[in-house]
Amino acid sequence: MPLDNPSANTRKYKLVGTRPDRQDGFDKVTGRAKFGADAVAPGQLAGSILRSPHAHARIRSIDTSKAEKLAGVKAVVTRADFPDKTAGDSGLFDILTNIMARDKALYEGHAVAAVAAVSPAVAKQALKLIKVDYEVLPHVTDVDEAMKPTAPVLHPKLFTEGLAEKPKKPSNIARRYEFGHGDVEAGFAKADIIVERSFKTEATHQGYIEPHACLANVSPDGSGELWVCTQGHFMVRDYCARLLGLEISKLRVTASEIGGGFGGKTTVFLEPVALALSRKANRPVKLVMSRDEVFKCTGPTSSASIDVKIGVTKDGLITAADATLRYQGGAFPGSPAEFGAMSAFAQYHLDNVRTIAYDVVTNRPKQAAYRAPGAPMANFAVESMIEELAHKLGMAPIDFRIKNAAREGTRSSYGPVYGPIGLLATLEEARKHPHFKAPLGPNQGRGMAAGFWFNFGGQSCVSLNIPVDGTVTISVGSPDIGGSRASMCLMTAEELGIPYEHVRAIIADTSSLGYNDVTDGSRTTFATGMACILAARDAIKKLCQRAARMWGIPEEAVTWEKGYAKPAGANAGNFPPLSLKEIAAASGGTGGPIAGHHEYSADGAGVSFATHICDVEVDPETGATRIVRYTVLQDAGKAVHPSYVEGQFQGGAVQGIGWALNEEYVYGKDGRLQNAGFLDYRIPVCSDLPMIDTKILEIPNPGHPYGVRGVGETSIVPPLAAVANAVSNAVGVRMTELPISPPRLLKALDTVSLAKAS
Amino acid sequence: MSGIHVTTKINGDEVQFVCEADESLLDVLRNRLGLTGAKEGCGTGDCGACSVTVDGRLTCSCLVLGAEVDGHDIGTIEGMAMGDELHPLQKKFIEHAALQCGICTPGFLVAAKALLDHNPEPTETEIRFGLAGNLCRCTGYDKIVRAVQAAAEEMNSAKKIQQKVA
Ligand code: FES
Ligand code: FES
């Protein structure tokens, strides 16, 4: 049976590209939607976690006897309840060590013990009765400090990987990476101008408004259920089962509605602890983090220290680019230094390029992915230098970028050769955009930046069921963080040729569907969306079989068109088309229920590029910076639901603005976080911002039947540099450290005025 | 500890509950009354996810004690729609894609309604400052502001038509 699959370039869509209401909207505007902390189980206990007050300390002993005796306490767990079942998997062992400290507390907030009790008040009281004997050790929280040979070493068994020779001594440098091609030294020799600078960015938190929460229920027979807000319930199931020695199929995990993740909910924190408590107490246990815990114990992103050197000819051609990136990822290896190094120069066509990166551990919480992990900091450093070089050359920054932009056929700085990409399109569109012509007032400056993200595919599994009334349910395994159910329904309805309203998407639990990777890497609309399309095609095949049976003709003689089965040609016979609804209604007599499936590991995600333009106004008295105008131009491949694509552009841009101007982890000399709350860790609020203008470009991704590319992450890559360039242009001094908070900006202004005065 | 008996009105209905002296109104709503529409994003008055009205005034329910609302009128997100008819703000939030994850949405809706109740024709700046106590990490606020503008417009034109008819 032939499927209609005209190339994504020319296909006319009926539904894809429209903006219908999301189907979970009603529940979400009435307060009915159930998020992580909204579930209740009969007889549930309240859990609470005791956390280390020290940044680095050996745990000599833990005495829980008094807590256990307190009336109302039903279970206490410590490291003794989490025997090592990781069988040499060092990544999993790190997760085990992170969810419950073993011999040492490695950061302030590291979990040391947990209690389940009849009420939160009793649980809290019990925590106070647990005696932990700490031997406080010297600590380090700064990435450059942590790399020094004199720094306190976190892990005595950590020897730098990726070096030609294994080092003789352990250190805080977990790994060295190198990427590039050509001959950088030869490239610099050809340059007329070379600039070199160092940059620093502070750690920021994903800042999802919903704190982590879960409700665990383990039976004495070893089967368990878990309700949890996560970006990937299959990931949660597999980690928990492996950490606790449960059978994977006996643990059923249901994803709640999720109140934001941005990469931060792609691992486990509370979940294994809640399960262990529940197993011990033989009662359901609910664990919910406070905001303070979210800041102190869940993944912020890395802080970074980066050196960049770029050489250009007089007429503006880059001859060589070189960068060294140092990222600390908290107490365990795994900072996104590698992604930083891969993405730093990805937007340029370079003959000679090299990036070296170091993954460094410090006494901070284990970093978690944050939207395009590793890329924004690298982009900040590189795009700041590009701006500076353009000024030195006397070229408009946009022309300099266009001249050196990566295009189809460019060998990327991280290896692969690009297929069709949208970078030039976003730059050309930016040049034409009215934003560039808007007049700037006093103390105002304009900046721009171009950014890149890889996008991922990965494993997805989708089931599609067609009940007798001809409506359709799709069961997907990717939690819906930002309206993805609407996109899934649009693509399914498009493929089947039925109205959007007839398709409903649910997020199936781990026992109802095959494995699905975490909702991350901007993969859901691409990979799970494609699985929906392919499941629909599978269903169409079956619908055609049923039609053939109803008509008494061979299957091959039936074709599917716009929601109807039709005889393929005159020879097939003369039958009036059968609608999906009619075939569904007859299904009981033609072979039973009709369903479509697809399971695969998707490739071909298609890289994505964006250009951002930003105008700021700086107050020289206070050092405060206000965003006056902001424009995002990004390639979406094909925007399935343009409103939610714009939403991703806007949300990412604003997170980047926060990172550039305000957000940072502030540590005291004692290694303790000093701003673990939304009052002192200030994310952008409504009154800080103007409207965020967006322009969706559609350069189809050949790896997807509709040309879709992931859109969620790229939008946080350029804003750091776009904002910093705007501020630098407004005040006439290059800002090399983020965030550009008022004190930092005032200091920079003082330096220039002092320099001018002398 | 002995509980405190409280009589109050929630979304127009009389409600009685017993709570501890140190229990927040948010905890009472969520844990004792099953009204989980108000969310806890911070518990310290910084995010607005727990927004309710107390006698019509916008309030962070995490900062009020359950015992304090004795004799007062509470409004929560659960009381915003009239039967099966959504409030114009609720409709416009869906139409304008003003929610992504939706965790901030109940708080924004309660805050936006309180804003429009007091100022039916707010400027963009007034909307932005009126909602500055509510954090949204997903949307960048653009579509939230537009949804509130659209709802205000619809409510005002409906009012004008009513006035004309009257
Ligand atoms: S929970 Fe009340 S303001 Fe954040
Ligand atoms: S929609 Fe996610 S926090 Fe606002």
Side-chain angles (χ1 to χ4, degrees):
Chain A
M1 177 213 52
L3 282 169
D4 63 323
N5 188 16
S7 98
N9 286 308
T10 52
R11 179 163 179 167
K12 288 258 175 303
Y13 297 97
K14 210 167 158 210
L15 296 171
V16 165
T18 62
R19 304 172 185 246
D21 289 353
R22 65 195 281 170
Q23 297 170 351
D24 56 333
F26 192 88
D27 281 354
K28 286 187 175 150
V29 300
T30 52
R32 206 178 286 177
K34 277 175 85 180
F35 290 83
D38 298 341
V40 203
Q44 89 185 16
L45 300 171
S48 201
I49 296 188
L50 183 69
R51 299 183 178 276
S52 165
H54 307 294
H56 196 190
R58 193 171 312 285
I59 302 171
R60 290 204 199 98
S61 64
I62 306 172
D63 179 0
T64 59
S65 54
K66 281 207 180 115
E68 277 158 33
K69 279 186 209 119
L70 183 70
V73 170
K74 302 293 173 188
V76 182
V77 295
T78 65
R79 56 192 177 186
D81 297 273
F82 295 91
D84 179 9
K85 296 183 193 283
T86 60
D89 179 335
S90 67
L92 195 63
F93 184 74
D94 287 347
I95 292 173
L96 178 69
T97 312
N98 191 40
I99 58 140
M100 192 59 72
R102 302 183 85 78
D103 57 332
K104 291 204 289 184
L106 293 162
Y107 55 92
E108 183 211 10
H110 200 162
V112 175
V115 170
V118 290
S119 74
V122 175
K124 292 253 147 62
Q125 207 186 335
L127 292 187
K128 292 195 187 121
L129 298 174
I130 298 175
K131 274 220 178 64
V132 185
D133 182 12
Y134 292 105
E135 175 196 343
V136 178
L137 302 169
H139 65 270
V140 61
T141 53
D142 178 78
V143 63
D144 293 318
E145 292 297 321
M147 290 177 77
K148 290 184 181 157
T150 50
V153 170
L154 271 76
H155 304 286
K157 285 190 202 143
L158 189 66
F159 293 87
T160 312
E161 282 181 48
L163 299 178
E165 235 175 88
K166 186 182 170 181
K168 299 210 167 49
K169 282 205 310 198
S171 74
N172 295 324
I173 306 170
R175 192 169 173 150
R176 178 188 185 274
Y177 296 92
E178 185 171 335
F179 296 92
H181 57 254
D183 181 342
V184 184
E185 297 316 321
F188 283 121
K190 277 190 240 159
D192 298 312
I193 305 172
I194 296 174
V195 288
E196 208 174 342
R197 265 191 202 277
S198 296
F199 297 85
K200 274 202 134 177
T201 65
E202 244 317 330
T204 55
H205 196 275
Q206 295 82 350
Y208 31 81
I209 305 301
E210 181 197 29
H212 298 257
C214 68
L215 174 57
N217 196 355
V218 184
S219 303
D221 68 357
S223 66
E225 292 195 348
L226 184 68
W227 162 270
V228 57
C229 65
T230 176
Q231 289 175 246
H233 43 313
F234 293 89
M235 168 277 299
V236 169
R237 177 194 65 179
D238 290 10
Y239 276 154
C240 289
R242 289 176 68 196
L243 292 173
L244 298 169
L246 303 170
E247 276 175 43
I248 289 184
S249 58
K250 280 196 181 166
L251 180 58
R252 178 179 178 192
V253 183
T254 306
S256 71
E257 295 300 330
I258 170 173
F262 316 108
K265 291 176 182 168
T266 56
T267 184
V268 291
F269 298 102
L270 296 173
E271 300 82 352
V273 180
L275 287 164
L277 284 169
S278 170
R279 180 162 65 180
K280 206 162 177 177
N282 192 15
R283 296 261 293 264
V285 174
K286 184 163 167 181
L287 267 177
V288 182
M289 277 195 197
S290 66
R291 179 55 55 182
D292 180 83
E293 286 179 293
V294 172
F295 274 113
K296 284 181 180 161
C297 329
T298 69
T301 187
S302 290
S303 62
S305 162
I306 302 170
D307 310 324
V308 184
K309 183 176 170 186
I310 302 177
V312 286
T313 62
K314 276 200 287 285
D315 45 358
L317 216 59
I318 300 177
T319 58
D322 194 7
T324 304
L325 307 94
R326 297 165 293 269
Y327 285 24
Q328 69 74 26
F332 300 91
S335 81
E338 185 184 10
F339 288 156
M342 291 168 78
S343 65
F345 294 111
Q347 61 273 35
Y348 295 108
H349 180 99
L350 301 168
D351 292 332
N352 305 297
V353 56
R354 176 177 62 189
T355 50
I356 294 167
Y358 295 97
D359 173 16
V360 181
V361 298
T362 64
N363 295 110
R364 295 190 185 210
K366 178 172 165 50
Q367 69 83 36
Y370 180 17
R371 215 167 189 157
M377 320 71 150
N379 185 272
F380 159 62
V382 168
E383 287 295 286
S384 294
M385 296 288 284
I386 294 288
E387 185 89 6
E388 185 170 350
L389 273 164
H391 292 319
K392 284 220 158 80
L393 287 162
M395 264 175 104
I398 188 148
D399 294 335
F400 181 44
R401 286 184 171 91
I402 288 175
K403 183 153 194 174
N404 292 285
R407 48 205 82 202
E408 187 166 357
T410 291
R411 178 160 181 212
S412 67
S413 56
Y414 62 97
V417 173
Y418 290 132
I421 56 171
L423 174 61
L424 268 177
T426 68
L427 286 165
E428 298 284 4
E429 221 24 71
R431 183 154 60 179
K432 284 189 282 189
H433 198 279
H435 186 150
F436 258 121
K437 288 177 205 99
L440 287 172
N443 294 321
Q444 294 191 346
R446 176 165 300 149
M448 66 170 296
F452 157 92
W453 184 244
F454 307 91
N455 290 336
F456 295 111
Q459 303 176 65
S460 285
C461 177
V462 166
S463 261
L464 182 156
N465 290 299
I466 308 179
V468 286
D469 65 354
T471 59
V472 170
T473 315
I474 41 174
S475 303
V476 301
S478 302
D480 177 357
I481 313 187
S484 64
R485 272 181 280 225
S487 310
M488 302 299 137
C489 291
L490 276 169
M491 287 186 272
T492 306
E494 180 81 47
E495 197 63 31
L496 291 171
I498 59 174
Y500 165 77
E501 293 72 25
H502 288 189
V503 185
R504 203 92 202 162
I506 64 141
I507 315 301
D509 65 62
T510 57
S511 298
S512 311
L513 199 64
Y515 181 85
N516 281 264
D517 276 329
V518 168
T519 291
D520 71 354
S522 303
R523 65 172 226 93
T524 296
T525 306
F526 167 75
T528 302
M530 182 150 59
C532 288
I533 295 170
L534 296 173
R537 290 186 183 175
D538 186 39
I540 287 171
K541 213 180 285 172
K542 292 168 186 162
L543 288 160
C544 288
Q545 284 166 1
R546 300 300 176 87
R549 219 166 282 172
M550 288 163 80
W551 288 328
I553 63 174
E555 279 172 49
E556 304 76 51
V558 181
T559 185
W560 189 261
E561 231 181 86
K562 299 194 178 102
Y564 288 86
K566 291 180 179 163
N571 297 344
N574 190 11
F575 303 101
L578 277 170
S579 69
L580 183 144
K581 196 171 170 177
E582 289 165 311
I583 302 170
S587 60
T590 60
I594 303 175
H597 302 276
H598 197 75
E599 49 271 328
Y600 71 155
S601 184
D603 271 333
V607 298
S608 143
F609 290 90
T611 296
H612 289 203
I613 321 166
C614 169
D615 294 356
V616 299
E617 182 173 316
V618 170
D619 182 341
E621 302 271 304
T622 62
T625 300
R626 190 170 65 87
I627 306 290
V628 180
R629 216 172 273 113
Y630 202 100
T631 306
V632 179
L633 307 103
Q634 186 177 319
D635 172 19
K638 175 74 201 168
V640 177
H641 192 306
S643 297
Y644 289 102
V645 172
E646 291 161 4
Q648 290 293 325
F649 290 4
Q650 293 163 334
V654 168
Q655 284 183 320
I657 289 169
W659 199 335
L661 291 179
N662 278 310
E663 296 177 35
E664 67 179 310
Y665 266 44
V666 180
Y667 280 94
K669 284 214 165 54
D670 55 3
R672 290 183 188 161
L673 185 61
Q674 297 190 329
N675 59 336
F678 278 138
L679 190 59
D680 299 316
Y681 180 96
R682 195 176 178 287
I683 74 171
V685 301
C686 203
S687 53
D688 294 337
L689 296 160
M691 293 295 186
I692 307 292
D693 202 6
T694 56
K695 173 91 195 166
I696 302 173
L697 297 164
E698 296 186 322
I699 291 89
N701 168 21
H704 186 279
Y706 298 171
V708 169
R709 295 175 197 267
V711 296
E713 291 170 292
T714 314
S715 51
I716 202 175
V717 181
L720 282 60
V723 173
N725 285 336
V727 175
S728 301
N729 292 337
V731 299
V733 44
R734 177 123 316 264
M735 301 305 298
T736 56
E737 282 186 33
L738 297 187
I740 309 173
S741 53
R744 210 168 261 149
L745 184 60
L746 284 179
K747 214 167 114 198
L749 289 174
D750 280 351
T751 341
V752 256
S753 51
L754 277 179
K756 272 190 196 145
S758 62
Chain B
M1 265 189 276
S2 61
I4 298 171
H5 183 260
V6 175
T7 306
T8 176
K9 241 190 195 161
I10 299 181
N11 301 326
D13 298 327
E14 191 190 293
V15 173
Q16 301 189 23
F17 59 83
V18 174
C19 69
E20 303 295 344
D22 60 356
E23 217 173 317
S24 71
L25 173 59
L26 177 62
D27 283 343
V28 169
L29 291 172
R30 291 180 53 82
N31 304 338
R32 293 193 186 268
L33 304 177
L35 294 170
T36 54
K39 308 295 177 192
E40 178 169 325
C42 67
T44 50
D46 302 315
C47 77
C50 63
S51 296
V52 300
T53 53
V54 178
D55 300 331
R57 223 180 117 190
L58 182 63
T59 305
C60 290
S61 62
C62 71
L63 295 184
V64 178
L65 292 172
E68 283 181 282
V69 301
D70 191 64
H72 294 278
D73 254 351
I74 313 296
T76 74
I77 185 67
E78 286 88 350
M80 198 160 166
M82 298 295 280
D84 66 354
E85 181 63 16
L86 292 183
H87 187 277
L89 275 163
Q90 293 172 309
K91 276 191 238 162
K92 293 296 171 193
F93 264 58
I94 298 176
E95 250 173 68
H96 285 256
L99 50 142
Q100 282 177 31
C101 78
I103 191 85
C104 68
T105 309
F108 266 98
L109 285 167
V110 170
K113 182 168 178 296
L115 171 72
L116 296 185
D117 284 349
H118 293 107
N119 179 1
E121 288 180 59
T123 61
E124 182 189 332
T125 308
E126 286 168 341
I127 294 174
R128 287 190 178 275
F129 279 89
L131 299 178
N134 291 72
L135 298 181
C136 173
R137 191 58 158 172
C138 297
T139 63
Y141 306 102
D142 183 299
K143 293 186 188 301
I144 293 178
V145 174
R146 289 180 201 275
V148 175
Q149 286 173 327
E153 207 170 296
E154 189 182 290
M155 288 160 74
N156 292 330
S157 61
K159 230 181 277 162
K160 275 177 202 143
I161 292 168
Q162 265 173 14
Q163 279 163 1
K164 258 192 212 151
V165 175

